[in-house]
Amino acid sequence: MELIVLWDIDHTLIENAGVSKEIYAAAFSALSGSRPTGPARTEGRTDRLIMRDMFLRDGLPEPGWPAVEAALAHAGEERLGDLRLRGTALPGVREALKAASAHDDWVSSVLTGNIAANARVKLSAFDLDPLLDLSAGAYGADAELRPDLVAVARERARRLHDVAADVPIVLVGDTPRDVEAALATDSGIIAVASGIHSAEELAAAGASVVLPDLSDTAELLGFLETFAVHGKRPRTSLGCP
């Protein structure tokens, strides 16, 4: 029962309490010398697209990506303390990650729009990083569009763990973009209504499983194990509560 489980971070594993938007604003200011005219639009997009949108919106030329990534990493590192103070790991997350990591034949990593440095900052703020194989994850610097990150993670799992090409992948996330990425790549999806999107929105986007959060470890593991056996089309009924 091999499986690749790829967890989103913001509003799926952690609540960042606005720190993410502060990171984008600080990186923008460091690069442009001025404050952005409005907050970053995130909602499951990659850091590449988020930062590009901020510069386009303010009518400024977009800097080269290496400079943008460095500014984001610096801003994230500076706000580790704020994240620990104001943010939190979401209900059941620690237990869910422990349960997934206990399966020796599973790769449990992340698929996130954050750059790798800031993904690690956000996870380490709540001591979640040891529970994930971050080397096999896919990050906001790896591609502009979220569906393209799935192939990146699969290739890393193949290279690092000799995972076969037909091993099922399941995404766990809180936005319609997570659902769309799963559907576009023939992956499974477990959507969690722990962000700004309701269970109804996530189901309408096409999620086969929608949970209120990750607090019921046994239920979550049951769905993951079913995907491991049957791929993205389980034979059991996986209805939206």
Side-chain angles (χ1 to χ4, degrees), residues 7 12-15 84 87-102 108 122-132 213-217 220-221:
W7 311 80
T12 298
L13 299 181
I14 72 160
E15 171 53 54
R84 284 177 172 155
T88 187
L90 288 170
V93 162
R94 197 174 309 277
E95 294 76 16
L97 295 182
K98 285 181 180 178
S101 67
S108 180
K122 291 178 177 182
L123 295 167
S124 67
F126 311 107
D127 299 318
L128 299 176
D129 49 320
L131 302 176
L132 291 155
D213 54 33
L214 299 175
S215 59
D216 191 333
T217 305
L220 173 67
L221 263 289

Side-chain angles (χ1 to χ4, degrees), residues 5-238:
V5 188
L6 300 173
W7 311 80
D8 176 51
I9 296 177
D10 293 297
H11 311 298
T12 298
L13 299 181
I14 72 160
E15 171 53 54
N16 66 62
V19 174
S20 271
K21 292 189 185 297
E22 294 170 12
I23 290 171
Y24 295 120
F28 179 92
S29 296
L31 292 163
S32 69
S34 61
R35 294 178 59 82
T37 58
R41 292 175 51 246
T42 54
E43 297 182 13
R45 298 193 304 161
T46 65
D47 279 0
R48 285 180 177 269
L49 292 182
I50 291 166
M51 292 299 292
R52 176 176 298 163
D53 179 67
M54 293 179 77
F55 282 96
L56 288 173
R57 182 184 59 192
D58 284 24
L60 297 173
E62 181 186 4
W65 173 248
V68 174
E69 184 173 16
L72 284 169
H74 181 69
E77 183 179 3
E78 285 192 324
R79 284 159 182 78
L80 175 59
D82 290 337
L83 191 59
R84 284 177 172 155
L85 182 66
R86 292 158 46 194
T88 187
L90 288 170
V93 162
R94 197 174 309 277
E95 294 76 16
L97 295 182
K98 285 181 180 178
S101 67
H103 285 256
D104 292 336
D105 49 355
W106 291 9
V107 175
S108 180
S109 190
V110 296
L111 189 146
T112 175
N114 291 283
I115 61 170
N118 288 349
R120 189 173 292 277
V121 164
K122 291 178 177 182
L123 295 167
S124 67
F126 311 107
D127 299 318
L128 299 176
D129 49 320
L131 302 176
L132 291 155
D133 182 356
L134 296 181
S135 62
Y139 303 92
D142 293 322
E144 291 189 354
L145 300 178
R146 202 172 191 92
D148 295 334
L149 296 178
V150 176
V152 172
R154 182 180 286 285
E155 172 57 23
R156 286 178 176 155
R158 184 203 63 76
R159 177 168 48 85
L160 295 169
H161 301 290
D162 198 27
V163 173
D166 60 348
V167 167
I169 290 180
V170 178
L171 309 187
V172 184
D174 67 288
T175 73
R177 282 191 172 87
D178 295 297
V179 179
E180 292 162 8
L183 297 178
T185 58
D186 208 36
S187 303
I189 178 67
I190 296 176
V192 286
S194 48
I196 66 171
H197 298 283
S198 68
E200 292 75 18
E201 288 178 283
L202 296 168
S208 57
V209 180
V210 183
L211 304 176
D213 54 33
L214 299 175
S215 59
D216 191 333
T217 305
E219 180 183 37
L220 173 67
L221 263 289
F223 287 133
L224 290 173
E225 288 166 357
T226 302
F227 278 117
V229 173
H230 300 299
K232 82 178 187 73
R233 295 182 180 85
R235 296 173 188 171
T236 56
S237 175
L238 300 183

